[in-house]
Amino acid sequence: MDNIMVLGAGIYQVPLIKAVKKNGYVAIVVSPAGHYPGLALADIWINADTRDKETVLVHARKYNICSILTTGTDVAVPTIGYINDHLNLPGVSYDVGRVCADKVLMKDFFRVNGIPSAQYEVVHNYDGLENAARNVGYPVMVKAVDCSGSRGIRLVSDERDLMKAYDGARSVSKSENVLLEEYLNGHEIGAQVVVVGSSVSQIFFHDDVVTPPPVSVPVGHTMPLTLEKDVSDAIQQVVNKLVSRLGIENSICNIDLLIVNQQPYVLEIGARMGATCLPENISVYTGMNIYDYLVQLSLGGLPELPDNGFCTASSSLLLRSHKTGVVKDIVVPDTVSGHIDLVELCLDIKPGDFVKKFQVGPDRIGHIVVSGTSGENASKTAEKLLNLIEITVD
């Protein structure tokens, strides 16, 4: 049997590991020890940090893997590119992985290649921090450069909170750099971009639900998203240029955008599929399992997706706690579990487990995915069912 390596064993890698095994491959999972649900599914577990590219390369050679991939996380992507380069495997390169996992390299790439994005400055210490913020202009986004899940990101309105936000970014980062970015006020959306070979095959636009500032964290998505033709065309031009200049190959990319006065600005690009149930949204919308598709794509195959015509609308939301404590009880009414439009209800926790007040993506305690006759209909159904689930935290 052929061996496929998956980096990460968290909740967002679980469906990918299952897809690898379902398609007849041996799932070699790289993850440090911990309470990661994917570990129990691994055919072979490598106890290692997914960022440790040299150690991962040793095991990739040992098991003669035919593919390496992940989903829902940026930190492992440089390692994927490193392995692809050394073993001549299909997929993103190490250079692509580095750009997509480091916000400073990413912003520099945007600027050099004429990709519309927010203005920014980079700081390394307290010296010049206030001047950099004034140059960018308040309010300013303070961002850790090498984290995912919205860790180390905060909107700062004035100098009073600047140092605290800077310290918060440094505390979760391995880099000495902190990014100060212009705050753009617009409509945040996303795009899952399927790249077959070196060409954009399809773009799935989706609406995003994010928590309010100062820390805006994605908590849900709805698909399809209908855009005005001139906006859609502008985004497609930017996406094609970005994929081409960056040199992305055989990947599904996650691109965050902001629409300001009908003009698209790229916030970030990840050379991996999105998190927060975006793969599930695509699967419902297209009628095919996108994880199966990703496995074939990672092997250098040319799998076909359904055409861009309307399929089935889908919406997803994260279950989250409004306070920190121990879960006392979880009540899922029959009106939720038996709802005709419910596609998936996943609970990461059980009574007796400790949960955190939701602040960043990993604080999630589950998710819900529903279908609908339209994006608006699916979104309303998801919110309605989510509000019926009772989670008591002491």
Side-chain angles (χ1 to χ4, degrees):
M1 295 177 69
D2 292 325
N3 300 325
I4 292 182
M5 184 173 276
V6 177
L7 299 191
I11 192 66
Y12 292 126
Q13 288 83 51
V14 164
L16 182 57
I17 297 170
K18 290 180 178 178
V20 167
K21 299 178 67 168
K22 185 181 74 174
N23 283 274
Y25 299 94
V26 175
I28 302 175
V29 177
V30 179
S31 169
H35 297 292
Y36 300 112
L39 295 182
L41 299 172
D43 293 313
I44 299 172
W45 169 39
I46 308 300
N47 186 357
D49 190 324
T50 59
R51 295 167 294 188
D52 185 351
K53 58 185 185 296
E54 296 295 347
T55 296
V56 175
L57 178 60
V58 168
H59 290 285
R61 282 178 167 149
K62 175 183 176 181
Y63 291 104
N64 191 30
I65 66 169
C66 58
S67 168
I68 180 170
L69 66 171
T70 192
T71 188
T73 179
D74 294 313
V75 296
V77 177
T79 300
I80 290 176
Y82 189 76
I83 306 306
N84 286 339
D85 288 354
H86 278 75
L87 301 187
N88 195 29
L89 298 176
V92 300
S93 68
Y94 181 55
D95 287 342
V96 169
R98 288 180 65 243
V99 170
C100 291
D102 186 308
K103 291 181 177 63
V104 172
L105 295 180
M106 188 186 302
K107 295 291 289 189
D108 289 346
F109 178 88
F110 290 167
R111 185 189 66 236
V112 170
N113 288 277
I115 304 298
S117 187
Q119 298 300 310
Y120 69 100
E121 290 207 15
V122 182
V123 293
H124 318 285
N125 48 47
Y126 292 135
D127 297 338
L129 176 61
E130 292 185 357
N131 282 338
R134 282 193 290 267
N135 289 340
V136 173
Y138 288 102
V140 61
M141 298 297 299
V142 179
K143 295 184 174 183
V145 304
D146 55 357
C147 299
S148 57
S150 299
R151 297 179 185 90
I153 298 179
R154 191 172 187 87
L155 176 65
V156 175
S157 299
D158 53 48
E159 292 182 357
R160 290 174 297 178
D161 294 326
L162 181 61
M163 190 171 294
K164 180 180 178 181
Y166 173 86
D167 289 339
R170 283 297 303 271
S171 70
V172 297
S173 174
K174 293 184 177 295
S175 172
E176 294 181 355
N177 296 326
V178 171
L179 186 70
L180 271 62
E181 188 178 78
E182 173 191 14
Y183 174 70
L184 297 175
N185 189 13
H187 180 200
E188 184 170 338
I189 67 168
Q192 301 301 295
V193 181
V194 181
V195 184
V196 178
S198 58
S199 301
V200 174
S201 171
Q202 200 153 335
I203 302 175
F204 296 100
F205 295 116
H206 50 85
D207 213 351
D208 295 342
V209 180
V210 298
T211 58
V215 184
S216 296
V217 183
V219 295
H221 307 283
T222 299
M223 189 179 294
L225 171 64
T226 302
L227 298 168
E228 294 183 18
K229 188 177 185 306
D230 57 343
V231 176
S232 176
D233 290 346
I235 294 175
Q236 292 189 50
Q237 290 178 8
V238 170
V239 167
N240 280 307
K241 181 179 181 181
L242 181 53
V243 168
S244 174
R245 295 286 178 88
L246 193 50
I248 294 176
E249 296 183 355
N250 291 72
S251 179
I252 300 179
C253 302
N254 178 70
I255 302 181
D256 297 325
L257 302 118
L258 203 68
I259 308 302
V260 182
N261 297 324
Q262 301 296 95
Q263 297 298 315
Y265 290 79
V266 178
L267 298 176
E268 294 182 11
I269 178 172
R272 47 78 183 173
M273 196 156 51
T276 328
C277 304
L278 277 167
E280 286 71 23
N281 289 134
I282 298 175
S283 296
V284 173
Y285 180 67
T286 62
M288 66 173 293
N289 188 315
I290 198 64
Y291 294 105
D292 291 343
Y293 181 95
L294 181 59
V295 169
Q296 298 306 314
L297 186 62
S298 75
L299 293 165
L302 301 174
E304 292 186 3
L305 279 167
D307 62 33
N308 238 353
F310 178 79
C311 295
T312 302
S314 174
S315 187
S316 60
L317 284 172
L318 294 186
L319 279 74
R320 48 203 192 274
S321 176
H322 298 296
K323 62 180 179 179
T324 297
V326 175
V327 176
K328 181 179 179 181
D329 195 17
I330 303 174
V331 178
V332 180
D334 292 341
T335 50
V336 174
S337 60
H339 198 281
I340 190 173
D341 292 325
L342 179 66
V343 175
E344 182 174 282
L345 171 60
C346 174
L347 294 174
D348 308 339
I349 52 88
K350 61 184 182 300
D353 288 346
F354 176 81
V355 297
K356 292 182 179 180
K357 176 182 177 181
F358 187 86
Q359 294 180 307
V360 294
D363 293 336
R364 53 163 280 164
I365 56 179
H367 68 247
I368 189 169
V369 182
V370 305
S371 61
T373 56
S374 67
E376 182 181 6
N377 170 260
S379 177
K380 289 180 178 179
T381 300
E383 185 175 2
K384 173 185 175 182
L385 297 187
L386 186 78
N387 290 333
L388 290 174
I389 299 172
E390 298 179 12
I391 301 175
T392 306
V393 178
D394 284 342

